[in-house]
Amino acid sequence: MPRYEYRCRTCGDTFELSRPMAESSDPAACPSGHDDTVKLLSTVAVGNSASAPSSAPRASGGGGGCCGGGCCG
């Protein structure tokens, strides 16, 4: 189940709730009982770690870096 992050406008606390996606924008009370909360926009970093195997070719210093060789002159 996805976790969503919220901030209480009354006390300033930030908290997370696990809830179905269909309920993500439903009102959420903070742990202190305040009802004036806002859902925060979370960012997700997606990338390759150095130890993870990759099937993508690595740049070798040759041409064609911008789009597989089709746009570089």
Side-chain angles (χ1 to χ4, degrees), residues 2-3 5 11 19 24-25 31 38 52 55 70-71:
R3 295 184 62 82
E5 191 173 22
C11 65
R19 51 175 35 178
S24 68
S25 32
V38 62
S55 60
C71 66

Side-chain angles (χ1 to χ4, degrees), residues 4 10-11 13 16-18 23 25 27 36 40 42-43 49 52 54 58 60 63 68:
Y4 297 96
T10 304
C11 65
D13 284 347
E16 291 184 352
L17 290 177
S18 293
E23 298 174 11
S25 32
D36 189 13
L40 301 176
S42 300
T43 57
S49 70
S54 174
R58 295 183 182 251
S60 61

